[in-house]
Amino acid sequence: MGSVSGSDFHQELLFAFGGGDRNVTIAVLDGPVDRTHDCFVGAPLTPLHTAVMQRSGDDAPSSAQSTHLASLIFGQPCRSVEGIAPMCRGLIAPIFGDSRPVCAQADLADAITRALDHGAQILLIGAGSFEQPWYPSPALARAIARCNIRNAMIVASAGRYGCSTLLRRCGTLNLLPVTALDGVGQPLGGNDGNLSDIGIAVPGSSVSGAALEGRVVQRSHPNVAAALVTGAAALLLGVQRNAGLAPNPAAVAEAVRMTATPQTSPSGSALPPAWTGRKNLEAAAAYLTGRYEGAYASGLFEAWYRARAGATRSDHAAFRPRA
């Protein structure tokens, strides 16, 4: 695979399909977000009063990590950080707080439940420390059962960085564990665990996002990759709506996996299947709708899609919602 930085990947996906649909709702489960940052001016964000926030109080400090993640999704056009799905509705559901940096299963279950109550279709669970042992509590099992009934999709960092193992043991149906690739296409920090547990890999190095006190910083982490995939998944839900289809997060999760490109390292060892650019997103849209989106597609993706879905051509093209 050629060299692709996380920053380049982020820029390629910006404003695809108009930047998303206001009827698509994404929940970010991490820490409190600094919504005073200029990139969030005009963003449809709603903070949820989770159990963590009830303990921390309304004056709880914002999290640098969660602010960065939220900006990659909801950063508004022409601001210091532009997000992948700025037109989508966002829910901020803190699960980490300064008073308790380890996320308890009860707090995770509470945040998931509140996000579902507010219409979340995609939930991004940030990386951090999660309460062990790694078997689900009854409360978390009930919350995941509600996710399954609602057909909600959960995106989380794969391996030691996230809670994907715990969520899998809960029986999560629409779980997409994400890992990050560095600038030369290798897993960030080296291979971690069983590749079969990784749903997709995307470039996640040196991605610029919002920081505290109005700053912009670059971060490299599987968490960053998960946020980029979350934004892309939200765009695909909007594609379904625009095509007259019912929004189906489960189908979106499948489309993301199916349009990832198999890859191997120079030594011949297996690597996680990856998305590396806009063409993957276009192929996923075609997979979902049965229409071939040719504006950014290459001969390789045309051959891939026609072999699987018998697509017909369409003149639909993505556009940037700006003057």
Side-chain angles (χ1 to χ4, degrees), residues 103 134 179 222 253:
C103 176
W134 286 104
T179 195

Side-chain angles (χ1 to χ4, degrees), residues 54-271:
Q54 291 172 21
R55 291 195 301 270
S56 302
D58 294 334
D59 58 347
S62 298
S63 160
Q65 172 175 279
S66 59
T67 300
H68 190 273
L69 298 182
S71 72
L72 300 181
I73 302 170
F74 305 112
Q76 295 296 289
C78 304
R79 299 290 180 181
S80 60
V81 179
E82 295 178 317
I84 292 176
M87 305 305 160
C88 293
R89 176 172 170 255
L91 305 172
I92 307 302
I95 58 174
F96 300 113
D98 284 348
S99 61
R100 188 171 184 178
V102 177
C103 176
Q105 289 195 31
D107 292 339
L108 180 58
D110 171 78
I112 290 173
T113 300
R114 291 177 189 272
L116 293 174
D117 287 343
H118 284 78
Q121 296 153 295
I122 302 173
L123 293 84
L124 168 63
I125 300 180
S129 297
F130 291 87
E131 183 182 58
Q132 296 189 20
W134 286 104
Y135 54 81
S137 67
L140 184 57
R142 287 193 297 270
I144 294 301
R146 282 197 63 193
C147 270
N148 293 342
I149 292 171
R150 294 281 294 274
N151 199 27
M153 174 182 176
I154 296 180
V155 183
S157 300
R160 64 178 179 272
Y161 298 104
C163 59
S164 58
T165 298
L166 175 61
L167 295 173
R168 200 179 296 280
R169 291 180 180 177
C170 290
T172 310
L173 295 181
N174 303 322
L175 174 64
L176 189 62
V178 178
T179 195
L181 301 175
D182 61 20
V184 295
Q186 298 295 304
L188 202 63
N191 278 320
D192 178 31
N194 190 341
L195 293 183
S196 65
D197 288 337
I198 299 174
I200 185 177
V202 303
S205 62
S206 304
V207 180
S208 295
L212 303 181
E213 300 178 352
R215 295 177 297 119
V216 176
V217 300
Q218 289 188 338
R219 288 176 176 262
S220 302
H221 197 275
N223 222 17
V224 171
L228 298 178
V229 170
T230 299
L235 295 182
L236 292 172
L237 276 181
V239 166
Q240 287 181 310
R241 287 181 52 85
N242 291 336
L245 304 172
N248 185 346
V252 167
E254 178 185 7
V256 170
R257 292 189 186 95
M258 290 296 296
T259 52
T261 306
Q263 54 174 352
T264 57
S265 69
S267 64
S269 61
L271 293 173

